[in-house]
Structure formats: structure tokens, C-alpha cells
Amino acid sequence: MPVRIVLAEDEYLVREGLRRLLETGEDLEVAATCTDLESLLEAVEREQPDVVLTDIRMPPSHTDEGIQAAARLRETHPEVGVVVLSQHAVPAYVLALMEGGCERRAYLLKERVNDLDQLFAAIHAVADGDSVFDPKVVEALVAENARSDESPLNELSPRERDVLREMAEGKNNAAIAGALFLTERSVEKVIHSIFLKLDLSWETTVHKRVKAVVLYLAESS
């Protein structure tokens, strides 16, 4: 069965461009397109999609309607994944998106639309219950906290920082090992060390650890 998508974007050319790009995916189906928060929520009720792909700013206020939609759907349709597209890496938006959990949530910069494989992978990830955070967002969060002399991030080794960035992007241990040319056992040891240094050793699942790490990195942003 294809992944059914509700697309929300108020600019006509962008919306139609995204729709046509999504329709090139053999296992993707655009069930509806919307232009504002109200029509988005109505489309979800009507179409029962697997994933919502939404701009972060739409009518009526052009502020954070995409984040508002994600929060509403967390309560009304928790099984629906949400991919938010934004022009900027805004820590406050990332934190708001993860409120109540980061499962089935993705935050991507709009420039990622140029990489269809990455966009499609994010859609499938949230449909499967996983989470995805744009690498540039993670870099911004790390850089913000690293400016503080008291940040525990300063205690991390270069290898631990590399693994932390990969982990905060939502990758599992096997994917991290492949990206950094390490064994999975080595990745496990590095992650254990990271959590000890960041006082996050109580985390156990992939979703919880992603949330804990990203929240920690963004808390002073």
C-alpha cells in the first residue's frame, strides 16, 4: 500500500511543485492538498492519511501553523506522521514540534526538497514511527550550546561529537556505524559514554534518546 500524504502549502507554485515531486514516488500518494491550518485539519479527518507534509507558516497568521497542526494531530490522530518544512533552523520550533514526543515527527529545511531521496526517506521514516531532524538544525543546536563554558558538551571528544550529531538526527546504531565507519559495538560504547557525560544514562529507547539529546542541546537556545 502506498503512503498516503496530505500536503499543506499556501503558495500555489510551491504547492504544485511539491505535489508533482511527491507523485514521482512509486509508493507515495497525495491524497489532498491544503492552503491553511483549517483545511489541513479537515483534510486529515476526511482522508485519514499516513503522513502530513506541511509548511511551517500558513494562513491564518503565517506564524507556526505547521507546528500547531502537529500538536493537534498528536492528540486527535497520533498515528499520523508529520513532516514540517521550514526555511530556517529555529530551535524553538524544533522543541515545539517534539512536545509530547518526537515519534512520527520530522523537521526539514526546505532546501532538502532538492534531494528527493532524503525527502522521501523522511516521509517513510515518520510513517513507520521514527523521527528525523535536519542535520543543519542539529549543527545549530550543538554550536549554540558549545558556546557556553559550562556546557557538558565541552567534555565530549571529537568522536563523541560525531556520534552525537548522527544520533540526534534520528539514526540507529547500525546507520551511525555505517556513516562513521565504526563497528556497532564501538558505537554502543561511544553512546554510553555520551549519556554518562550528559547525565542522560536513564534513556533506553531510540525515540526517547533522540528527544533527550535534542532537548538538552536546545535548552539554552
Side-chain angles (χ1 to χ4, degrees):
M1 296 292 291
V3 175
R4 301 183 73 251
I5 302 167
V6 165
L7 170 63
E9 165 63 56
D10 64 311
E11 294 187 18
Y12 175 78
L13 292 179
V14 177
R15 184 173 65 255
E16 285 302 298
L18 278 171
R19 181 182 62 79
R20 294 184 182 185
L21 287 174
L22 292 171
E23 289 177 344
T24 65
E26 295 182 357
D27 52 356
L28 301 178
E29 175 188 337
V30 179
T33 60
C34 315
T35 60
D36 56 35
L37 177 58
E38 182 178 359
S39 63
L40 167 56
L41 296 175
E42 290 176 350
V44 171
E45 288 289 344
R46 181 177 68 253
E47 302 293 342
Q48 299 295 307
D50 302 298
V51 173
V52 166
L53 177 64
T54 179
D55 190 8
I56 204 165
R57 296 178 179 178
M58 298 180 294
S61 68
H62 291 282
T63 54
D64 63 347
E65 279 75 14
I67 302 298
Q68 293 179 45
R72 295 270 290 276
L73 294 177
R74 177 73 73 189
E75 298 179 358
T76 62
H77 296 80
E79 74 285 355
V80 175
V82 178
V83 179
V84 173
L85 297 177
S86 175
Q87 290 184 333
H88 307 288
V90 182
Y93 286 158
V94 180
L95 291 176
L97 180 64
M98 292 191 302
E99 186 69 29
C102 62
E103 296 87 348
R104 300 185 184 275
R105 294 294 180 265
Y107 187 102
L108 297 180
L109 296 182
K110 280 191 172 181
E111 63 192 60
R112 301 299 174 189
V113 173
N114 295 324
D115 186 342
L116 284 185
D117 288 339
Q118 189 170 33
L119 177 61
F120 291 174
I123 290 171
H124 282 289
V126 299
D128 291 337
D130 295 327
S131 55
V132 179
F133 300 97
D134 195 288
K136 288 190 176 181
V137 175
V138 177
E139 288 289 341
L141 298 176
V142 172
E144 179 71 23
N145 283 269
R147 296 190 187 103
S148 171
D149 292 337
E150 298 180 358
S151 173
L153 290 173
N154 295 324
E155 301 298 320
L156 300 184
S157 68
R159 173 61 72 193
E160 288 168 343
R161 283 180 174 273
D162 290 340
V163 171
L164 174 61
R165 290 187 179 94
E166 299 291 330
M167 183 169 58
E169 290 170 24
K171 294 181 180 178
N172 60 28
N173 289 4
I176 295 173
L180 299 179
F181 303 101
L182 298 171
T183 65
E184 286 192 53
R185 179 58 179 165
S186 295
V187 171
E188 290 174 3
K189 291 181 178 179
V190 174
I191 290 175
H192 179 69
S193 177
I194 290 171
F195 280 131
L196 286 177
K197 291 181 179 180
L198 300 184
D199 194 25
L200 296 169
S201 57
W202 51 271
E203 287 297 326
T204 56
T205 69
V206 172
H207 292 144
K208 288 183 178 179
R209 77 181 189 178
V210 170
K211 180 181 179 181
V213 170
V214 176
L215 285 172
Y216 178 87
L217 295 177
E219 69 178 358
S220 66
S221 298

